[in-house]
Amino acid sequence: MKTIYNILSVLLLLLIISSCEKNLETITNPKDYQAYLDVKTELNKEDLNFWENKLNENPNQFPYLIKIANAQTQLFNETGNIDYLVDASSNLEKANQQTKFKNANYLRSLARNYISQHKFLEAIELLKKAEKNGENLKSTQKMLFDVYLELGNKNQAFYYLSQFRNAQDFDYLIRNSKWNDHKGNLNQAIYSMENATKIAEKSKNKNLIEWSYTNLADFYGHAGRIKDSYNHFLKALAINPLNAYAKKGISWIVFSHEKNPKEALRIINAIASNHNTPDLSLLKVEIAEYENNKDAKNESINEYLTLVNNPKYGDMYNKYNVLLYSENQETIRKAIDIAQKEIKNRPTPQSYDLLAWSYYNSDKKPEALQIVENKIVNKTFEPDVLFRVAQIYKANGELKKAQKLKKELIESLFELGPSMEMDIKNI
């Protein structure tokens, strides 16, 4: 038995070494993406100005409000400037008020804006009105699936998914992909997304193709297919060189897979010159943490807090605020308050995870464990949530349960990032 044990130990060691060597494989090449980093955003406000002038000339023409909101939403997507999203919301609200909330298309447009702002409960109210209206019902049902899934209401989400089931339909396939990912069935999620991408490619619709490539790239990354992920981010950039999401995806591959923080930071800074959003500052925090650069970390935290302090962001960054505030005993009460607000707005396992983590950091470990066992375990498969669950298990002496999660977390190191590697190994 001892000989067999020794052989198994050697084999395990070889597997670990092999895995580490594989992780150091260089997949990216600056020559592939440098041209996209050099592209500068040139804001095209022609549409916005045109429809604003038309509205000034004809103040009672409420359809112009929709045109203005569409132009503002496009500018938000290009720049990340929250002002455009909030201004679009204001114009969509005016259009709905003028039509007495009886135009289903306008209701869906405002709901879509609210979803972007994480106003999910408000979005549900609008979509239920659109559902009652009945105009273009399938479009409303698709959005109801989206919002109910965001709210953690699986039964309602599945009900609406079944209302428009069609394996040949792009909109169904992308939602079926999301549904399977939510259930932890990654292979099926990828299969559905690949089929949706084929439909998008046949349609010749560049926006659909670009969106499909970035989503497929995400799924490939989750599955450890890093090269496929990288190639699809590049394919998205070939369609739209300004796609900040694709550039962030490449920066994450450079950082998490190739352990090249300097190059990852260079990419992030290039993105920020055109599309500066709080999440980029958080990436810089993570890189600084990996490099053990406390000054850079504090600078990036302050940069994040300055950006997110804008009240127009509302609840969009609640998750990250909780995780940040819970690290400091001076702000732990603030973290708990925000987590409780998230649960009220969005009672999902991910929201309960935020409260459990806040309790864990405020030395309320039994309370944290109770939330874990009642509201989180077997209800979500997100690696970052499972990491915090494992830490809470360990703190409460549930070592076997913590060790069981450890294997899954090691397999999810790409998603979690290299700065968490040592924490995972110490579970």
Side-chain angles (χ1 to χ4, degrees):
M1 287 294 292
K2 189 174 181 181
T3 303
I4 293 173
Y5 177 79
N6 289 338
I7 291 171
L8 289 174
S9 298
V10 171
L11 286 173
L12 181 60
L13 181 61
L14 288 173
L15 281 172
I16 293 171
I17 292 170
S18 174
S19 175
C20 291
E21 287 175 350
K22 187 177 179 181
N23 282 342
L24 292 174
E25 176 192 0
T26 299
I27 287 173
T28 67
N29 187 336
K31 291 179 181 178
D32 295 336
Y33 54 78
Q34 184 56 50
Y36 304 127
L37 300 183
D38 292 335
V39 174
K40 299 298 178 186
T41 302
E42 293 182 9
L43 285 187
N44 184 354
K45 292 187 177 181
E46 285 186 16
D47 273 0
L48 179 59
N49 293 335
F50 175 80
W51 291 112
E52 283 181 337
N53 290 333
K54 294 285 284 184
L55 183 65
N56 287 334
E57 293 168 6
N58 302 279
N60 295 324
Q61 291 295 317
F62 58 82
Y64 294 158
L65 291 167
I66 302 297
K67 298 288 188 180
I68 292 169
N70 289 341
Q72 290 166 330
T73 301
Q74 181 61 34
L75 288 167
F76 168 72
N77 292 335
E78 290 177 6
T79 65
N81 187 333
I82 190 64
D83 291 341
Y84 289 123
L85 185 65
V86 174
D87 289 345
S89 175
S90 177
N91 284 309
L92 289 168
E93 286 165 357
K94 289 175 186 175
N96 275 283
Q97 287 163 3
Q98 291 193 29
T99 53
K100 297 181 180 179
F101 294 89
K102 291 182 178 180
N103 185 307
N105 187 41
Y106 291 3
L107 288 165
R108 284 191 296 270
S109 294
L110 181 55
R112 195 172 294 111
N113 179 285
Y114 281 166
I115 291 168
S116 296
Q117 295 187 62
H118 288 203
K119 294 181 177 181
F120 299 109
L121 296 177
E122 293 93 328
I124 282 286
E125 287 184 25
L126 295 169
L127 291 170
K128 296 303 285 185
K129 288 179 182 178
E131 183 182 33
K132 187 176 180 180
N133 175 291
E135 180 188 345
N136 202 349
L137 184 59
K138 295 292 182 188
S139 295
T140 302
Q141 290 171 335
K142 290 168 184 177
M143 290 189 68
L144 280 164
F145 164 81
D146 295 337
V147 183
Y148 276 121
L149 194 63
E150 289 285 353
L151 289 171
N153 191 329
K154 294 181 182 180
N155 292 335
Q156 282 292 85
F158 183 72
Y159 166 77
Y160 282 107
L161 184 66
S162 66
Q163 297 305 299
F164 54 88
R165 181 177 283 113
N166 178 357
Q168 306 303 316
D169 178 61
F170 176 85
D171 288 341
Y172 169 74
L173 286 169
I174 62 174
R175 287 169 172 85
N176 186 54
S177 179
K178 189 188 296 184
W179 175 251
N180 278 285
D181 182 50
H182 187 77
K183 293 194 301 177
N185 191 346
L186 182 56
N187 288 335
Q188 186 59 44
I190 290 173
Y191 178 75
S192 289
M193 195 63 232
E194 286 175 336
N195 286 334
T197 302
K198 289 174 185 175
I199 292 173
E201 289 172 332
K202 288 179 182 177
S203 76
K204 308 295 184 183
N205 183 321
K206 289 186 176 181
N207 289 333
L208 281 188
I209 299 169
E210 177 191 349
W211 185 91
S212 299
Y213 286 159
T214 55
N215 277 267
L216 195 50
D218 275 343
F219 281 132
Y220 284 150
H222 299 333
R225 295 168 59 178
I226 312 302
K227 191 168 186 178
D228 288 332
S229 178
Y230 175 62
N231 287 336
H232 278 75
F233 281 133
L234 289 176
K235 288 170 79 170
L237 286 168
I239 297 171
N240 177 14
L242 291 172
N243 190 316
Y245 190 85
K247 293 174 190 177
K248 279 194 292 182
I250 291 173
S251 74
W252 185 256
I253 291 171
V254 171
F255 173 54
S256 186
H257 180 76
E258 298 176 351
K259 311 293 191 297
N260 188 346
K262 184 177 180 181
E263 176 64 6
L265 187 60
R266 188 182 76 85
I267 297 171
I268 291 166
N269 287 332
I271 299 169
S273 67
N274 288 319
H275 190 100
N276 196 19
T277 52
D279 54 292
L280 292 178
S281 299
L282 291 173
L283 279 174
K284 289 196 269 187
V285 170
E286 198 159 348
I287 290 171
E289 194 167 26
Y290 175 70
E291 295 186 302
N292 199 26
N293 188 333
K294 292 182 181 179
D295 290 340
K297 179 181 176 180
N298 290 332
E299 184 181 335
S300 296
I301 287 173
N302 290 333
E303 182 180 276
Y304 167 79
L305 291 173
T306 299
L307 288 169
V308 86
N309 194 43
N310 185 341
K312 291 184 178 180
Y313 281 114
D315 296 328
M316 291 171 69
Y317 287 88
N318 278 355
K319 171 184 176 179
Y320 306 103
N321 289 340
V322 171
L323 296 177
L324 195 59
Y325 291 141
S326 64
E327 289 182 2
N328 190 326
Q329 289 305 306
E330 293 180 5
T331 54
I332 192 71
R333 184 66 246 178
K334 199 172 183 179
I336 292 171
D337 290 343
I338 298 172
Q340 289 172 332
K341 182 181 180 183
E342 271 295 279
I343 289 171
K344 184 179 179 181
N345 292 339
R346 196 178 178 189
T348 63
Q350 290 84 350
S351 296
Y352 280 104
D353 160 60
L354 297 176
L355 184 60
W357 189 243
S358 298
Y359 281 159
Y360 165 84
N361 282 298
S362 60
D363 210 26
K364 295 181 178 179
K365 294 177 175 60
E367 291 91 334
L369 180 63
Q370 187 175 10
I371 293 172
V372 162
E373 294 184 329
N374 293 337
K375 299 292 186 179
I376 302 172
V377 173
N378 297 324
K379 293 180 173 67
T380 181
F381 302 93
E382 295 293 329
D384 65 319
V385 175
L386 296 182
F387 167 76
R388 290 186 283 275
V389 167
Q391 295 282 50
I392 291 168
Y393 273 148
K394 182 181 176 182
N396 282 278
E398 299 280 0
L399 301 182
K400 286 185 179 179
K401 291 180 180 179
Q403 286 298 310
K404 188 177 178 181
L405 287 174
K406 184 175 180 177
K407 182 183 176 183
E408 291 182 50
L409 293 170
I410 289 172
E411 292 173 354
S412 301
L413 270 174
F414 171 73
E415 291 178 72
L416 294 168
S419 58
M420 293 177 68
E421 187 169 355
M422 191 55 64
D423 291 330
I424 293 169
K425 289 179 178 178
N426 289 333
I427 290 174

